[in-house]
Amino acid sequence: MAHKKGQGSVKNGRESNSQRLGIKVYGGQSIRAGGIIVRQCGTKYHPGRNVGRGKDDTLFALSDGVVLFDREGRQVNVVAAN
């Protein structure tokens, strides 16, 4: 008989770290230039006025202002705070 137990594979060894995607600043909230608005995979949300898009599709503010969602919530704008 074998004196050592057979080396099996681990059942739970394939968890990856979460990516922390989603909306970081909601409509009506103020944001500073360079602040991240949305972290996403693909372009679920599209950049509008004063919003830039990073190479990983992250949307960020190009100027200070208030976040505004339009086009049925799919386009993100930053408008100057009044």
Side-chain angles (χ1 to χ4, degrees):
M1 289 186 70
H3 292 285
K4 291 196 174 183
K5 200 172 176 179
Q7 188 67 40
S9 62
V10 183
K11 284 186 180 178
N12 60 355
R14 61 190 168 274
E15 267 316 301
S16 59
N17 294 328
S18 62
Q19 295 181 331
R20 278 96 172 169
L21 301 177
I23 299 174
K24 306 300 179 187
V25 179
Y26 291 91
Q29 291 183 312
S30 61
I31 192 167
R32 302 280 303 268
I36 293 175
I37 303 170
V38 180
R39 298 246 318 141
Q40 60 184 351
C41 283
T43 53
K44 182 176 180 181
Y45 300 96
H46 295 273
R49 286 172 291 158
N50 296 321
V51 176
R53 185 170 73 103
K55 66 175 185 170
D56 60 349
D57 296 316
T58 296
L59 300 185
F60 57 92
L62 295 174
S63 65
D64 296 351
V66 176
V67 176
L68 189 75
F69 287 82
D70 64 359
R71 285 188 53 188
E72 295 165 7
R74 296 291 185 207
Q75 188 176 42
V76 185
N77 299 299
V78 173
V79 295
N82 294 339

